[in-house]
Amino acid sequence: MRTPGGSEIGEDGMRLGYFTMPVHPMHRNWAETLKEDREAIILADKLGFYDAFMGEHLTDACETITNSMMFHATLIPETKQIKLATGTSNLSHMHPVLIAVQAAMFDHLSEGRFILGVSPGALTTDAEALGILDQDRNKMFAESIDVILAIWERDPPYDIDFPDNRFKVSTARTMTLDLGVGIMAKPYQTPRPEIVGTVVAPFSPGVVLMGKRDFHPLSANFLLSKHLKSHWENYCKGKAEAGAEANVADWRVARAICVLDDDKMAARYGRDDPKSPYRFYYEQMRAKMKRGKRLYVFKSHKEQPDEEITHDYVMDHCVIHGGVNKVVDQILALREEIGDFGELVYAGMDWVEPALNKRSMQLMAEEVMPQVNAAIGKSAAAA
């Protein structure tokens, strides 16, 4: 059996991952966007991407994956190497028993090509639809993850009854073990799959808890690069409190990147064209963060006025675009700014011009990352 992911950065250097919400215009046909989302991950597998994270929401006509695990299950036979990651499973939405046994089954179906990405679930309309709007979903998340881990660690009858935890799990009253009744499946990977948490807020205290629990952080692509270092510092703090050392291989950093055959083409598709999928994506993100009173994710400092966070401001700070050489330089500058990290996670966009989206992914895998890793290797050798 495979051991959990988050492997050491190999001889080839930094890994390349894929993450998508996804975000599509409301007018698009749902069946078509589902095909497109699948095609993107099949392409990522062929290009050698390490993993693919898929987001999920219940009540969003633009972000249309309602269950990331179900979506990824369709990709197991269509892919060969890529790890399929929930990005995230929203733990306030389901009883932890359901998450634990479904994740365990997925891990077996994929023979260990599974990463469990987790979060509380931030979309308020999801919470309202489920009748949990007034509940503390962060607390529900913490309670849920404790129970999921306990199910995987224990044997029947489980007898999970943690203090101040609403979820009590046991099969003691009804189990018949010689018939297999009352037994919950454990994952394929031992002792469990890699668990990843997406981090959005600058200086997020939740990353300290990730370090303590050996969950791995994925820094979101709608956070200004200047704040990313705070995630690593907090993760290291949590690791130290647990008496362990943080490994840079376990830190993922997501960025929106448009790399095309020349700077001009990349500037058009990744920045300037009114129909640019990158413009659409960040228009959505800015509006949603403003609606949720979370515009601070785009701010350079706490006191920055909301009116300064314009669409163009967000585009200027959150999108890397250019030809291969320009993008390589920007990625190396990012690494210089925030320090070493284990995986650069490429943010997937709507396919307005499919040939350009595919070309960007291809150039990212075949030209940009080899050059980035060669520069990192050269720098390490000279040190």
Side-chain angles (χ1 to χ4, degrees):
M1 291 189 184
R2 299 185 186 195
T3 55
S7 57
E8 293 287 338
I9 301 176
E11 291 177 6
D12 295 331
M14 193 190 299
R15 303 185 306 268
L16 175 63
Y18 181 84
F19 166 81
T20 186
M21 314 282 271
V23 181
H24 299 292
M26 279 190 277
H27 65 78
R28 293 200 60 194
N29 177 279
W30 193 10
E32 290 303 314
T33 60
L34 288 169
K35 287 177 187 173
E36 182 180 292
D37 296 331
R38 292 181 76 254
E39 188 178 350
I41 293 173
I42 292 167
L43 176 61
D45 177 58
K46 287 175 181 170
L47 290 170
F49 283 63
Y50 178 77
D51 48 26
F53 289 82
M54 175 58 75
E56 67 178 35
H57 287 298
L58 304 176
T59 59
D60 192 317
C62 295
E63 300 180 40
T64 51
I65 303 300
T66 57
N67 185 301
S68 54
M69 221 179 285
M70 185 189 296
F71 174 85
H72 272 322
T74 73
L75 288 164
I76 294 170
E78 302 290 337
T79 56
K80 291 183 173 62
Q81 309 174 79
I82 199 165
K83 285 181 175 274
L84 301 167
T86 57
T88 58
S89 291
N90 298 321
L91 299 192
S92 66
H93 293 183
M94 274 198 254
H95 195 287
V97 167
L98 292 174
I99 297 280
V101 297
Q102 288 168 6
M105 183 176 78
F106 191 105
D107 203 25
H108 281 267
L109 284 169
S110 66
E111 296 185 2
R113 286 196 292 125
F114 175 60
I115 296 169
L116 179 61
V118 292
S119 73
L123 190 59
T124 50
T125 50
D126 283 359
E128 182 181 1
L130 291 168
I132 57 171
L133 182 60
D134 297 323
Q135 296 191 41
D136 183 344
R137 294 186 297 284
N138 286 317
K139 187 174 189 300
M140 292 177 77
F141 168 80
E143 293 168 4
S144 183
I145 199 68
D146 284 345
V147 171
I148 290 166
L149 293 175
I151 289 169
W152 290 347
E153 289 162 2
R154 298 185 184 187
D155 293 318
Y158 305 100
D159 291 332
I160 300 165
D161 186 1
F162 297 125
D164 195 29
N165 188 315
R166 76 198 71 201
F167 302 111
K168 316 297 180 187
V169 178
S170 175
T171 59
R173 290 175 58 194
T174 56
M175 68 184 188
T176 309
L177 298 186
D178 60 333
L179 294 177
V181 176
I183 300 170
M184 287 184 266
K186 291 187 171 16
Y188 179 87
Q189 298 175 79
T190 53
R192 60 165 173 79
E194 181 184 10
I195 297 177
V196 171
T198 303
V199 194
V200 177
F203 309 99
S204 170
V207 195
V208 179
L209 297 175
M210 284 188 205
K212 282 184 177 179
R213 306 288 300 265
D214 194 31
F215 302 164
H216 301 154
L218 192 165
S219 298
N221 56 286
F222 32 88
L223 188 69
L224 266 58
S225 61
K226 69 177 292 181
H227 297 308
L228 294 171
K229 201 170 187 176
S230 71
H231 293 172
W232 179 245
E233 289 167 352
N234 279 3
Y235 184 68
C236 289
K237 182 181 175 189
K239 277 288 188 185
E241 288 177 13
E245 194 172 330
N247 183 350
V248 291
D250 298 333
W251 183 26
R252 293 170 169 87
V253 174
R255 295 285 91 183
I257 301 170
C258 179
V259 53
L260 292 170
D261 289 288
D262 60 66
D263 293 351
K264 189 175 178 182
M265 189 186 297
R268 176 185 76 78
Y269 196 60
R271 174 70 174 80
D272 301 328
D273 191 327
K275 293 180 181 177
S276 162
Y278 294 81
R279 286 196 75 81
F280 172 73
Y281 178 93
Y282 280 104
E283 185 177 38
Q284 276 271 317
M285 289 301 103
R286 188 179 74 94
K288 286 176 176 176
M289 292 301 172
K290 187 175 181 181
R291 170 190 172 274
K293 297 181 172 57
R294 300 169 73 201
L295 209 55
Y296 58 80
V297 302
F298 295 122
K299 294 186 177 184
S300 62
H301 55 280
K302 273 185 181 178
E303 294 75 27
Q304 188 172 10
D306 284 2
E307 54 269 23
E308 286 186 14
I309 312 302
T310 63
H311 189 192
D312 281 335
Y313 171 92
V314 172
M315 293 294 292
D316 289 342
H317 286 83
C318 294
V319 182
I320 292 172
H321 61 77
V324 170
N325 291 340
K326 186 178 177 185
V327 168
V328 168
D329 288 345
Q330 289 176 83
I331 292 169
L332 291 172
L334 171 70
R335 186 172 173 272
E336 191 70 28
E337 178 185 8
I338 70 172
D340 199 9
F341 53 97
E343 182 172 317
L344 180 62
V345 182
Y346 178 98
M349 302 286 154
D350 184 70
W351 284 13
V352 175
E353 297 181 46
L356 295 186
N357 290 76
K358 293 174 188 177
R359 182 61 174 157
S360 181
M361 289 176 67
Q362 181 187 11
L363 289 172
M364 193 71 206
E366 295 179 354
E367 297 196 32
V368 171
M369 290 308 290
Q371 288 189 38
V372 165
N373 282 323
I376 292 171
K378 192 175 179 182
S379 173

